[in-house]
């Protein structure tokens, strides 16, 4: 019945890299146990899919380290039935983790080839609660706002104002800010027109590339 050759490696990854480093939210741990990371990794790196690192996915981009995916997901503090925005679809791995317990995930990627590849994998895995868009995600997705959580998986020089505007009351934006090469991963919670920042960890992401104003 077990057709997944990586099932043991994945449980081991969650235990060693995630649970033991302090991620405790059961929904996050379960999602990380379920989503097959090797499906989002190029064929020639598949044996490394459950290692403790980011990996290249082509077009100069990378799939995030498993621990960072878990830490960012936990920091969103999502309730079930929520609607989430992700900026930086990349491989689609983080998108899948979010789609495990969000009602709807809206995900934006600026490189069309990565968005298309992620869409193919996620459809093959039967996710039917993900909407894809190609473009500059630093402006968010105003037609679908407000969101119960917004996650940016690329490094921002500054926090994009439009993402803050698209947060529902009490919900969080999780975003790496600063660098290169390293950033502060921040959780920014909306309370009316106040935005409370909390430092989560240091991290290293590819840059968020913002289009010129149009
Ligand atoms: N969560 C992804 C991480 C991908 S790396 C994963 O685990 O696979 C970050 C991605 O953000 C890259 O694919 C990059 O092309 C994309 N990106 C950079 N700037 C962007 C922007 N302004 N809008 C949308 N996507 C952007």
């Amino acid at each position: 019945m077990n057709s997944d050759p990586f099932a043991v490696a994945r449980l081991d990854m969650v235990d060693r890299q995630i649970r033991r480093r302090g991620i405790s939210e059961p929904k996050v741990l379960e999602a990380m146990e379920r989503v097959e990371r090797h499906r989002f990794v190029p064929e020639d790196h598949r044996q490394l899919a459950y290692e403790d690192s980011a990996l290249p996915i082509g077009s100069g981009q990378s799939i995030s380290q498993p621990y960072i995916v878990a830490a960012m997901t936990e920091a969103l503090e999502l309730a079930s039935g929520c609607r989430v925005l992700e900026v930086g679809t990349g491989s689609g791995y983080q998108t899948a983790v979010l789609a495990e317990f969000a009602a709807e995930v809206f995900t934006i990627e600026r490189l069309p080839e990565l968005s298309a590849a992620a869409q193919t994998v996620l459809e093959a895995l039967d996710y039917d609660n993900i909407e894809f868009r190609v473009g500059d995600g630093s402006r968010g997705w105003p037609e679908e706002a407000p969101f119960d959580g917004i996650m940016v998986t690329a490094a921002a020089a500054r926090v994009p104002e439009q993402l803050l505007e698209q947060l529902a009351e009490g919900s969080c934006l999780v975003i790496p800010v600063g660098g290169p090469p390293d950033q502060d991963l921040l959780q920014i919670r909306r309370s009316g027109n106040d935005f409370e920042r909390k430092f989560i960890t240091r991290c290293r992401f590819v840059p968020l590339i913002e289009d010129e104003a149009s």
Side-chain angles (χ1 to χ4, degrees):
M1 162 75 212
N2 186 359
S3 58
D4 174 7
F6 294 101
V8 172
R10 190 164 55 255
L11 291 181
D12 196 52
M13 169 194 89
V14 173
D15 198 38
R16 283 174 201 253
Q17 300 173 33
I18 296 173
R19 199 177 276 115
R20 282 194 215 170
R21 286 191 187 135
I23 304 294
S24 58
E25 170 56 47
K27 282 185 304 194
V28 174
L29 295 169
E30 282 161 25
M32 298 294 295
E33 284 176 355
R34 268 198 304 269
V35 179
E36 300 182 354
R37 189 170 188 260
H38 62 274
R39 305 264 201 147
F40 299 87
V41 167
E43 205 86 52
D44 53 345
H45 283 90
R46 213 150 265 183
Q47 292 305 323
L48 302 175
Y50 297 98
E51 297 292 310
D52 191 12
S53 65
L55 292 169
I57 55 171
S59 308
Q61 308 304 323
S62 51
I63 178 172
S64 306
Q65 179 193 12
Y67 170 72
I68 290 292
V69 170
M72 291 180 84
T73 307
E74 186 174 65
L76 278 182
E77 298 182 16
L78 297 173
S80 49
C82 58
R83 297 167 71 255
V84 189
L85 174 67
E86 178 194 34
V87 176
T89 314
S91 68
Y93 175 61
Q94 172 75 75
T95 321
V97 172
L98 292 171
E100 284 287 326
F101 55 89
E104 276 181 289
V105 181
F106 299 84
T107 186
I108 310 177
E109 168 58 53
R110 60 180 287 278
L111 297 177
E113 67 275 18
L114 289 183
S115 180
Q119 206 161 330
T120 301
V121 178
L122 290 162
E123 278 168 9
L125 293 172
D126 283 338
Y127 288 101
D128 59 3
N129 57 343
I130 303 171
E131 298 285 333
F132 298 85
R133 179 179 264 192
V134 173
D136 177 6
S138 63
R139 294 141 195 259
W141 194 320
E143 303 86 335
E144 296 291 348
F147 297 99
D148 306 309
I150 301 179
M151 181 187 291
V152 179
T153 67
R158 52 168 193 92
V159 178
E161 196 65 36
Q162 289 165 79
L163 297 183
L164 295 175
E165 288 165 7
Q166 291 174 34
L167 277 177
E169 174 60 23
S171 63
C172 297
L173 167 65
V174 174
I175 182 168
V177 180
D182 295 332
Q183 299 87 37
D184 285 345
L185 183 62
L186 301 179
Q187 180 205 57
I188 306 176
R189 188 190 304 276
R190 177 170 208 163
S191 168
N193 285 324
D194 288 337
F195 295 91
E196 189 191 332
R197 293 183 175 216
K198 184 175 146 196
F199 171 79
I200 298 168
T201 184
R202 289 290 281 170
C203 58
R204 181 171 290 193
F205 277 88
V206 297
L208 181 74
I209 299 178
E210 299 188 41
D211 294 341
E212 298 299 319
S214 56

